[in-house]
Amino acid sequence: PITVYVEEVIYLSKQALGKGTLRLEKELDGMENFFLKDGLRMLVDQYPIEKIRQIMENTIVNQQEREMSEAAIFRTMGKLAPAFGMLGTLIGLIVMFQNLQQDIGAIGPAMAVAMMSTFYGLIATNLVFNPIAVKMEHRVEERVLLMRVIMEGLILVSKRTPPDIVRDELRAFLPHRKW
């Protein structure tokens, strides 16, 4: 969760305030989050603050665009599924009307089969594709928020901001229930 990374950035700010930013290099080895690790590496390598912000911001934007395009695929599938369902219904109706002369009693079952493809298209849209797209978009938003918190936190660390101020600055990104 995001609060774990807030605490990690606060820990880094304590270390930087006490020992200096160059001493944070030993913290790089244990980091699992590549975005935090890359940002901390830039901080240790003494990149200018604006360069750190620019690189991290570009990373955030590119990651967001990539992941949102994946969600857009499911959005598109959700828009197209009912149309394919209607297409299946039309094909079923055509076949039904072609066989109308042979057996008039088969109209009911044939109509039911023809209508099933519309039903399946609606089910696919509302129970599969759209929920997947919404979930993916929500995860992208959470990831972007996390990346922004990390970026702003590392910039505060590079300025040797006291940990209490870092905590308050980073909490401003979070809803109150996550404090």
Side-chain angles (χ1 to χ4, degrees), residues 5-154:
Y5 290 102
V6 168
E7 292 303 318
E8 191 162 350
V9 170
I10 291 168
Y11 168 77
L12 292 172
S13 73
K14 288 176 186 175
Q15 296 297 316
L17 197 61
K19 300 175 184 175
T21 55
L22 293 177
R23 299 262 172 109
L24 293 175
E25 188 169 9
K26 66 180 172 92
E27 303 296 332
L28 287 169
D29 294 333
M31 287 196 179
E32 295 177 12
N33 184 307
F34 290 107
F35 188 71
L36 178 59
K37 191 173 188 172
D38 286 345
L40 187 58
R41 183 192 46 77
M42 287 187 276
L43 194 145
V44 168
D45 291 344
Q46 297 183 332
Y47 282 36
I49 292 173
E50 285 312 309
K51 188 48 106 176
I52 293 173
R53 180 181 298 280
Q54 177 191 7
I55 292 170
M56 294 183 92
E57 190 69 45
N58 287 341
T59 303
I60 291 170
V61 168
N62 291 330
Q63 178 88 15
Q64 184 178 21
E65 286 176 2
R66 268 192 310 274
E67 292 182 14
M68 288 304 272
S69 69
E70 293 170 7
I73 291 170
F74 284 96
R75 281 270 178 225
T76 301
M77 291 169 71
K79 289 177 185 175
L80 296 177
F84 281 111
M86 286 301 295
L87 183 63
T89 296
L90 289 173
I91 292 170
L93 289 173
I94 290 169
V95 170
M96 183 187 75
F97 287 136
Q98 285 176 341
N99 296 326
L100 192 59
Q101 288 180 341
Q102 295 170 359
D103 185 11
I104 203 107
I107 290 178
M111 178 71 88
V113 170
M115 298 305 282
M116 285 303 292
S117 63
T118 298
F119 175 72
Y120 289 142
L122 292 172
I123 292 294
T125 291
N126 293 309
L127 295 180
V128 179
F129 299 130
N130 286 346
I132 289 173
V134 167
K135 189 165 193 151
M136 289 177 78
E137 290 165 353
H138 182 67
R139 285 187 178 168
V140 170
E141 290 171 6
E142 285 181 344
R143 208 167 293 132
V144 165
L145 176 63
L146 173 63
M147 293 170 88
R148 290 203 184 286
V149 166
I150 289 171
M151 178 183 71
E152 294 301 329
L154 288 176

